[in-house]
Amino acid sequence: SQQGEEDPQALSIQEGENATMNCSYKTSINNLQWYRQNSGRGLVHLILIRSNEREKHSGRLRVTLDTSKKSSSLLITASRAADTASYFCAPHNAGNMLTFGGGTRLMVKP
Amino acid sequence: DAGVTQSPTHLIKTRGQQVTLRCSPKSGHDTVSWYQQALGQGPQFIFQYYEEEERQRGNFPDRFSGHQFPNYSSELNVNALLLGDSALYLCASSFGAGGGSTEAFFGQGTRLTVV
């Protein structure tokens, strides 16, 4: 299955700390996308990293991709209470289909 | 520029009924994908429409069908509703089926409750 699997399932940190979430997948990909979801609402696109890229930054977000290990990580630096949400990784195959795991539920305490 | 819009936002239906959900893609996008998200789980791919045809399908029964119109908007139809169909239904739009290099943007979803 192409499905991304996030780890840990849940993460609780204090405001100002960094949060790291990991993602593993099983087959080759064209790219991998990370999304945030607040309280069962729509998914917000965070970042896309292509298979030939190893690291990408966007504001306080840093994403890495290791295609040899079929894994990715999302780092949120200097977390804020507003970062509280579920985070999903979605490996993207040639058919333009995203597959999601169960996500990481991040709780940032003020 | 409006993003992906879905309607309605909430819907309550009775078992056995039929439902139609609607999605308008982000401007410039031509591909629409539908996902089902049960409470506490990740979204599951239902199917994808491009050039008014179903291009890919996930592991969902034939009760789930769809349509894409010439303006790229799309509908998801579910027949003979079951209690287990209660979920958040998400629409995602992107540009160009296949290729695999474009971001997919999601709407806010339609919360369907089957009673």
Side-chain angles (χ1 to χ4, degrees), chain B residues 73-114:
Chain B
S73 66
S74 176
E75 288 182 350
L76 163 66
N77 301 293
V78 187
N79 294 323
L81 284 167
L82 304 173
L83 294 179
D85 295 331
S86 295
L88 180 68
Y89 288 84
L90 295 162
C91 167
S93 77
S94 57
F95 177 75
S101 62
T102 65
E103 296 97 337
F105 292 89
F106 284 78
Q108 288 299 302
T110 293
R111 172 72 61 186
L112 172 65
T113 301
V114 182

mmCIF file of all heavy atoms in Angstrom, chain B residues 73-114:
data_model
loop_
_atom_site.group_PDB
_atom_site.id
_atom_site.type_symbol
_atom_site.label_atom_id
_atom_site.label_comp_id
_atom_site.label_asym_id
_atom_site.label_seq_id
_atom_site.Cartn_x
_atom_site.Cartn_y
_atom_site.Cartn_z
ATOM 1 N N SER B 73 -16.562 21.265 -12.103
ATOM 2 C CA SER B 73 -17.200 20.959 -10.830
ATOM 3 C C SER B 73 -17.612 19.492 -10.814
ATOM 4 O O SER B 73 -17.672 18.842 -11.867
ATOM 5 C CB SER B 73 -18.403 21.874 -10.592
ATOM 6 O OG SER B 73 -19.418 21.596 -11.540
ATOM 7 N N SER B 74 -17.895 19.007 -9.632
ATOM 8 C CA SER B 74 -18.144 17.570 -9.504
ATOM 9 C C SER B 74 -19.227 17.296 -8.483
ATOM 10 O O SER B 74 -19.501 18.112 -7.596
ATOM 11 C CB SER B 74 -16.850 16.866 -9.084
ATOM 12 O OG SER B 74 -17.047 15.479 -8.863
ATOM 13 N N GLU B 75 -19.865 16.169 -8.637
ATOM 14 C CA GLU B 75 -20.840 15.674 -7.667
ATOM 15 C C GLU B 75 -20.441 14.279 -7.210
ATOM 16 O O GLU B 75 -19.892 13.492 -7.995
ATOM 17 C CB GLU B 75 -22.242 15.595 -8.292
ATOM 18 C CG GLU B 75 -22.887 16.939 -8.533
ATOM 19 C CD GLU B 75 -24.291 16.798 -9.114
ATOM 20 O OE1 GLU B 75 -24.679 15.683 -9.504
ATOM 21 O OE2 GLU B 75 -24.988 17.828 -9.176
ATOM 22 N N LEU B 76 -20.742 14.005 -5.952
ATOM 23 C CA LEU B 76 -20.599 12.664 -5.393
ATOM 24 C C LEU B 76 -21.992 12.208 -5.005
ATOM 25 O O LEU B 76 -22.700 12.907 -4.281
ATOM 26 C CB LEU B 76 -19.690 12.686 -4.164
ATOM 27 C CG LEU B 76 -19.747 11.469 -3.235
ATOM 28 C CD1 LEU B 76 -19.229 10.231 -3.944
ATOM 29 C CD2 LEU B 76 -18.927 11.734 -1.970
ATOM 30 N N ASN B 77 -22.398 11.053 -5.501
ATOM 31 C CA ASN B 77 -23.695 10.488 -5.178
ATOM 32 C C ASN B 77 -23.502 9.199 -4.378
ATOM 33 O O ASN B 77 -22.648 8.376 -4.726
ATOM 34 C CB ASN B 77 -24.480 10.152 -6.448
ATOM 35 C CG ASN B 77 -24.708 11.380 -7.311
ATOM 36 O OD1 ASN B 77 -25.430 12.286 -6.927
ATOM 37 N ND2 ASN B 77 -24.067 11.415 -8.467
ATOM 38 N N VAL B 78 -24.293 9.055 -3.347
ATOM 39 C CA VAL B 78 -24.283 7.813 -2.576
ATOM 40 C C VAL B 78 -25.712 7.309 -2.485
ATOM 41 O O VAL B 78 -26.606 8.023 -2.025
ATOM 42 C CB VAL B 78 -23.709 8.010 -1.155
ATOM 43 C CG1 VAL B 78 -23.572 6.655 -0.456
ATOM 44 C CG2 VAL B 78 -22.367 8.721 -1.193
ATOM 45 N N ASN B 79 -25.930 6.086 -2.962
ATOM 46 C CA ASN B 79 -27.257 5.473 -2.931
ATOM 47 C C ASN B 79 -27.389 4.516 -1.753
ATOM 48 O O ASN B 79 -26.379 4.050 -1.200
ATOM 49 C CB ASN B 79 -27.499 4.687 -4.226
ATOM 50 C CG ASN B 79 -27.556 5.593 -5.435
ATOM 51 O OD1 ASN B 79 -28.083 6.701 -5.359
ATOM 52 N ND2 ASN B 79 -26.981 5.141 -6.536
ATOM 53 N N ALA B 80 -28.631 4.227 -1.397
ATOM 54 C CA ALA B 80 -28.923 3.223 -0.358
ATOM 55 C C ALA B 80 -28.044 3.437 0.867
ATOM 56 O O ALA B 80 -27.290 2.557 1.278
ATOM 57 C CB ALA B 80 -28.737 1.826 -0.932
ATOM 58 N N LEU B 81 -28.136 4.621 1.438
ATOM 59 C CA LEU B 81 -27.266 5.007 2.548
ATOM 60 C C LEU B 81 -27.320 4.022 3.709
ATOM 61 O O LEU B 81 -28.391 3.526 4.093
ATOM 62 C CB LEU B 81 -27.656 6.405 3.038
ATOM 63 C CG LEU B 81 -27.201 7.566 2.148
ATOM 64 C CD1 LEU B 81 -27.905 8.850 2.553
ATOM 65 C CD2 LEU B 81 -25.690 7.719 2.202
ATOM 66 N N LEU B 82 -26.135 3.779 4.264
ATOM 67 C CA LEU B 82 -25.978 2.947 5.458
ATOM 68 C C LEU B 82 -25.507 3.825 6.602
ATOM 69 O O LEU B 82 -24.918 4.890 6.384
ATOM 70 C CB LEU B 82 -24.952 1.846 5.199
ATOM 71 C CG LEU B 82 -25.198 0.917 4.013
ATOM 72 C CD1 LEU B 82 -24.001 0.005 3.804
ATOM 73 C CD2 LEU B 82 -26.469 0.121 4.218
ATOM 74 N N LEU B 83 -25.718 3.344 7.829
ATOM 75 C CA LEU B 83 -25.242 4.097 8.987
ATOM 76 C C LEU B 83 -23.734 4.350 8.884
ATOM 77 O O LEU B 83 -23.226 5.406 9.265
ATOM 78 C CB LEU B 83 -25.559 3.350 10.277
ATOM 79 C CG LEU B 83 -27.029 3.199 10.639
ATOM 80 C CD1 LEU B 83 -27.171 2.411 11.936
ATOM 81 C CD2 LEU B 83 -27.721 4.549 10.758
ATOM 82 N N GLY B 84 -23.018 3.362 8.337
ATOM 83 C CA GLY B 84 -21.566 3.451 8.213
ATOM 84 C C GLY B 84 -21.087 4.471 7.201
ATOM 85 O O GLY B 84 -19.884 4.738 7.118
ATOM 86 N N ASP B 85 -22.011 5.045 6.445
ATOM 87 C CA ASP B 85 -21.628 6.093 5.488
ATOM 88 C C ASP B 85 -21.501 7.446 6.172
ATOM 89 O O ASP B 85 -21.072 8.419 5.555
ATOM 90 C CB ASP B 85 -22.662 6.192 4.360
ATOM 91 C CG ASP B 85 -22.718 4.936 3.501
ATOM 92 O OD1 ASP B 85 -21.675 4.254 3.384
ATOM 93 O OD2 ASP B 85 -23.797 4.641 2.954
ATOM 94 N N SER B 86 -21.879 7.521 7.449
ATOM 95 C CA SER B 86 -21.733 8.764 8.191
ATOM 96 C C SER B 86 -20.254 9.117 8.271
ATOM 97 O O SER B 86 -19.439 8.329 8.760
ATOM 98 C CB SER B 86 -22.306 8.616 9.603
ATOM 99 O OG SER B 86 -23.699 8.389 9.561
ATOM 100 N N ALA B 87 -19.901 10.310 7.798
ATOM 101 C CA ALA B 87 -18.488 10.700 7.724
ATOM 102 C C ALA B 87 -18.397 12.134 7.220
ATOM 103 O O ALA B 87 -19.399 12.743 6.842
ATOM 104 C CB ALA B 87 -17.722 9.782 6.778
ATOM 105 N N LEU B 88 -17.170 12.635 7.223
ATOM 106 C CA LEU B 88 -16.865 13.907 6.565
ATOM 107 C C LEU B 88 -16.409 13.574 5.145
ATOM 108 O O LEU B 88 -15.487 12.775 4.956
ATOM 109 C CB LEU B 88 -15.757 14.638 7.325
ATOM 110 C CG LEU B 88 -15.312 15.992 6.783
ATOM 111 C CD1 LEU B 88 -16.416 17.038 6.948
ATOM 112 C CD2 LEU B 88 -14.042 16.455 7.484
ATOM 113 N N TYR B 89 -17.057 14.162 4.158
ATOM 114 C CA TYR B 89 -16.697 13.921 2.764
ATOM 115 C C TYR B 89 -15.925 15.138 2.253
ATOM 116 O O TYR B 89 -16.427 16.259 2.261
ATOM 117 C CB TYR B 89 -17.933 13.645 1.921
ATOM 118 C CG TYR B 89 -18.497 12.275 2.227
ATOM 119 C CD1 TYR B 89 -19.352 12.087 3.314
ATOM 120 C CD2 TYR B 89 -18.124 11.165 1.482
ATOM 121 C CE1 TYR B 89 -19.834 10.825 3.626
ATOM 122 C CE2 TYR B 89 -18.604 9.898 1.788
ATOM 123 C CZ TYR B 89 -19.452 9.739 2.874
ATOM 124 O OH TYR B 89 -19.917 8.479 3.191
ATOM 125 N N LEU B 90 -14.727 14.864 1.799
ATOM 126 C CA LEU B 90 -13.815 15.928 1.379
ATOM 127 C C LEU B 90 -13.593 15.874 -0.122
ATOM 128 O O LEU B 90 -13.446 14.798 -0.701
ATOM 129 C CB LEU B 90 -12.477 15.773 2.094
ATOM 130 C CG LEU B 90 -12.513 15.960 3.603
ATOM 131 C CD1 LEU B 90 -11.269 15.364 4.247
ATOM 132 C CD2 LEU B 90 -12.616 17.447 3.946
ATOM 133 N N CYS B 91 -13.543 17.035 -0.700
ATOM 134 C CA CYS B 91 -13.245 17.174 -2.113
ATOM 135 C C CYS B 91 -11.877 17.845 -2.232
ATOM 136 O O CYS B 91 -11.581 18.792 -1.492
ATOM 137 C CB CYS B 91 -14.331 18.029 -2.775
ATOM 138 S SG CYS B 91 -13.938 18.615 -4.418
ATOM 139 N N ALA B 92 -11.056 17.356 -3.124
ATOM 140 C CA ALA B 92 -9.749 17.959 -3.364
ATOM 141 C C ALA B 92 -9.611 18.267 -4.837
ATOM 142 O O ALA B 92 -10.010 17.463 -5.685
ATOM 143 C CB ALA B 92 -8.639 17.006 -2.927
ATOM 144 N N SER B 93 -9.049 19.427 -5.149
ATOM 145 C CA SER B 93 -8.821 19.741 -6.546
ATOM 146 C C SER B 93 -7.331 19.904 -6.813
ATOM 147 O O SER B 93 -6.554 20.260 -5.934
ATOM 148 C CB SER B 93 -9.585 21.011 -6.951
ATOM 149 O OG SER B 93 -8.945 22.198 -6.504
ATOM 150 N N SER B 94 -6.957 19.600 -8.031
ATOM 151 C CA SER B 94 -5.569 19.714 -8.460
ATOM 152 C C SER B 94 -5.567 19.937 -9.958
ATOM 153 O O SER B 94 -6.622 19.941 -10.602
ATOM 154 C CB SER B 94 -4.775 18.469 -8.074
ATOM 155 O OG SER B 94 -5.372 17.308 -8.624
ATOM 156 N N PHE B 95 -4.359 20.093 -10.502
ATOM 157 C CA PHE B 95 -4.254 20.329 -11.934
ATOM 158 C C PHE B 95 -3.612 19.128 -12.610
ATOM 159 O O PHE B 95 -2.526 18.697 -12.225
ATOM 160 C CB PHE B 95 -3.428 21.579 -12.220
ATOM 161 C CG PHE B 95 -3.237 21.832 -13.690
ATOM 162 C CD1 PHE B 95 -4.282 22.334 -14.447
ATOM 163 C CD2 PHE B 95 -2.032 21.547 -14.308
ATOM 164 C CE1 PHE B 95 -4.133 22.557 -15.811
ATOM 165 C CE2 PHE B 95 -1.876 21.756 -15.666
ATOM 166 C CZ PHE B 95 -2.927 22.261 -16.424
ATOM 167 N N GLY B 96 -4.313 18.581 -13.598
ATOM 168 C CA GLY B 96 -3.713 17.537 -14.410
ATOM 169 C C GLY B 96 -3.646 16.182 -13.731
ATOM 170 O O GLY B 96 -2.799 15.958 -12.879
ATOM 171 N N ALA B 97 -4.513 15.278 -14.062
ATOM 172 C CA ALA B 97 -4.450 13.927 -13.512
ATOM 173 C C ALA B 97 -3.165 13.275 -13.993
ATOM 174 O O ALA B 97 -2.750 13.445 -15.130
ATOM 175 C CB ALA B 97 -5.656 13.121 -13.961
ATOM 176 N N GLY B 98 -2.563 12.481 -13.122
ATOM 177 C CA GLY B 98 -1.277 11.900 -13.460
ATOM 178 C C GLY B 98 -0.196 12.950 -13.303
ATOM 179 O O GLY B 98 -0.436 14.035 -12.821
ATOM 180 N N GLY B 99 1.001 12.668 -13.665
ATOM 181 C CA GLY B 99 2.079 13.643 -13.501
ATOM 182 C C GLY B 99 2.576 13.654 -12.090
ATOM 183 O O GLY B 99 3.751 13.477 -11.823
ATOM 184 N N GLY B 100 1.691 13.883 -11.160
ATOM 185 C CA GLY B 100 2.027 13.737 -9.749
ATOM 186 C C GLY B 100 2.900 14.806 -9.174
ATOM 187 O O GLY B 100 3.605 14.572 -8.212
ATOM 188 N N SER B 101 2.862 16.025 -9.720
ATOM 189 C CA SER B 101 3.750 17.031 -9.173
ATOM 190 C C SER B 101 3.029 18.246 -8.646
ATOM 191 O O SER B 101 3.649 19.232 -8.296
ATOM 192 C CB SER B 101 4.741 17.479 -10.252
ATOM 193 O OG SER B 101 4.050 18.067 -11.328
ATOM 194 N N THR B 102 1.707 18.197 -8.581
ATOM 195 C CA THR B 102 0.977 19.387 -8.150
ATOM 196 C C THR B 102 0.317 19.168 -6.806
ATOM 197 O O THR B 102 -0.053 18.051 -6.461
ATOM 198 C CB THR B 102 -0.105 19.771 -9.175
ATOM 199 O OG1 THR B 102 -1.082 18.717 -9.215
ATOM 200 C CG2 THR B 102 0.492 19.948 -10.555
ATOM 201 N N GLU B 103 0.189 20.278 -6.072
ATOM 202 C CA GLU B 103 -0.483 20.218 -4.789
ATOM 203 C C GLU B 103 -1.977 19.983 -4.989
ATOM 204 O O GLU B 103 -2.557 20.428 -5.977
ATOM 205 C CB GLU B 103 -0.305 21.529 -4.015
ATOM 206 C CG GLU B 103 1.120 21.854 -3.625
ATOM 207 C CD GLU B 103 1.775 22.813 -4.595
ATOM 208 O OE1 GLU B 103 1.344 22.895 -5.759
ATOM 209 O OE2 GLU B 103 2.733 23.485 -4.164
ATOM 210 N N ALA B 104 -2.567 19.288 -4.037
ATOM 211 C CA ALA B 104 -4.006 19.108 -4.009
ATOM 212 C C ALA B 104 -4.557 19.965 -2.875
ATOM 213 O O ALA B 104 -4.037 19.951 -1.768
ATOM 214 C CB ALA B 104 -4.368 17.646 -3.791
ATOM 215 N N PHE B 105 -5.604 20.728 -3.176
ATOM 216 C CA PHE B 105 -6.210 21.610 -2.189
ATOM 217 C C PHE B 105 -7.600 21.089 -1.845
ATOM 218 O O PHE B 105 -8.365 20.707 -2.738
ATOM 219 C CB PHE B 105 -6.279 23.040 -2.725
ATOM 220 C CG PHE B 105 -4.927 23.667 -2.880
ATOM 221 C CD1 PHE B 105 -4.215 23.543 -4.056
ATOM 222 C CD2 PHE B 105 -4.363 24.371 -1.834
ATOM 223 C CE1 PHE B 105 -2.951 24.110 -4.189
ATOM 224 C CE2 PHE B 105 -3.097 24.940 -1.955
ATOM 225 C CZ PHE B 105 -2.393 24.805 -3.144
ATOM 226 N N PHE B 106 -7.913 21.118 -0.565
ATOM 227 C CA PHE B 106 -9.156 20.543 -0.079
ATOM 228 C C PHE B 106 -10.184 21.602 0.274
ATOM 229 O O PHE B 106 -9.837 22.714 0.705
ATOM 230 C CB PHE B 106 -8.888 19.696 1.170
ATOM 231 C CG PHE B 106 -8.272 18.355 0.880
ATOM 232 C CD1 PHE B 106 -6.923 18.255 0.598
ATOM 233 C CD2 PHE B 106 -9.043 17.196 0.875
ATOM 234 C CE1 PHE B 106 -6.345 17.016 0.319
ATOM 235 C CE2 PHE B 106 -8.476 15.964 0.603
ATOM 236 C CZ PHE B 106 -7.126 15.875 0.328
ATOM 237 N N GLY B 107 -11.454 21.223 0.129
ATOM 238 C CA GLY B 107 -12.535 22.046 0.633
ATOM 239 C C GLY B 107 -12.749 21.765 2.109
ATOM 240 O O GLY B 107 -12.046 20.954 2.722
ATOM 241 N N GLN B 108 -13.737 22.458 2.695
ATOM 242 C CA GLN B 108 -14.015 22.316 4.120
ATOM 243 C C GLN B 108 -14.816 21.058 4.443
ATOM 244 O O GLN B 108 -14.974 20.709 5.601
ATOM 245 C CB GLN B 108 -14.747 23.545 4.640
ATOM 246 C CG GLN B 108 -13.862 24.771 4.734
ATOM 247 C CD GLN B 108 -12.712 24.547 5.683
ATOM 248 O OE1 GLN B 108 -12.886 24.235 6.865
ATOM 249 N NE2 GLN B 108 -11.477 24.701 5.191
ATOM 250 N N GLY B 109 -15.311 20.396 3.404
ATOM 251 C CA GLY B 109 -15.989 19.132 3.634
ATOM 252 C C GLY B 109 -17.481 19.246 3.845
ATOM 253 O O GLY B 109 -18.009 20.327 4.162
ATOM 254 N N THR B 110 -18.154 18.135 3.652
ATOM 255 C CA THR B 110 -19.581 17.998 3.971
ATOM 256 C C THR B 110 -19.710 16.935 5.035
ATOM 257 O O THR B 110 -19.264 15.801 4.846
ATOM 258 C CB THR B 110 -20.399 17.576 2.734
ATOM 259 O OG1 THR B 110 -20.381 18.634 1.777
ATOM 260 C CG2 THR B 110 -21.843 17.262 3.122
ATOM 261 N N ARG B 111 -20.294 17.315 6.165
ATOM 262 C CA ARG B 111 -20.503 16.348 7.252
ATOM 263 C C ARG B 111 -21.835 15.650 7.014
ATOM 264 O O ARG B 111 -22.886 16.279 7.119
ATOM 265 C CB ARG B 111 -20.508 17.065 8.603
ATOM 266 C CG ARG B 111 -20.896 16.187 9.780
ATOM 267 C CD ARG B 111 -19.829 15.201 10.153
ATOM 268 N NE ARG B 111 -18.589 15.832 10.559
ATOM 269 C CZ ARG B 111 -17.466 15.160 10.821
ATOM 270 N NH1 ARG B 111 -17.438 13.853 10.694
ATOM 271 N NH2 ARG B 111 -16.374 15.801 11.204
ATOM 272 N N LEU B 112 -21.799 14.363 6.683
ATOM 273 C CA LEU B 112 -23.007 13.572 6.429
ATOM 274 C C LEU B 112 -23.294 12.690 7.630
ATOM 275 O O LEU B 112 -22.425 11.938 8.087
ATOM 276 C CB LEU B 112 -22.832 12.703 5.183
ATOM 277 C CG LEU B 112 -23.946 11.688 4.907
ATOM 278 C CD1 LEU B 112 -25.258 12.407 4.602
ATOM 279 C CD2 LEU B 112 -23.562 10.758 3.763
ATOM 280 N N THR B 113 -24.494 12.799 8.136
ATOM 281 C CA THR B 113 -24.943 11.941 9.223
ATOM 282 C C THR B 113 -26.108 11.108 8.723
ATOM 283 O O THR B 113 -27.095 11.667 8.208
ATOM 284 C CB THR B 113 -25.389 12.764 10.442
ATOM 285 O OG1 THR B 113 -24.294 13.578 10.888
ATOM 286 C CG2 THR B 113 -25.825 11.846 11.580
ATOM 287 N N VAL B 114 -26.004 9.790 8.844
ATOM 288 C CA VAL B 114 -27.071 8.887 8.436
ATOM 289 C C VAL B 114 -27.718 8.320 9.694
ATOM 290 O O VAL B 114 -27.038 7.754 10.554
ATOM 291 C CB VAL B 114 -26.533 7.755 7.550
ATOM 292 C CG1 VAL B 114 -27.689 6.859 7.092
ATOM 293 C CG2 VAL B 114 -25.799 8.313 6.335
#
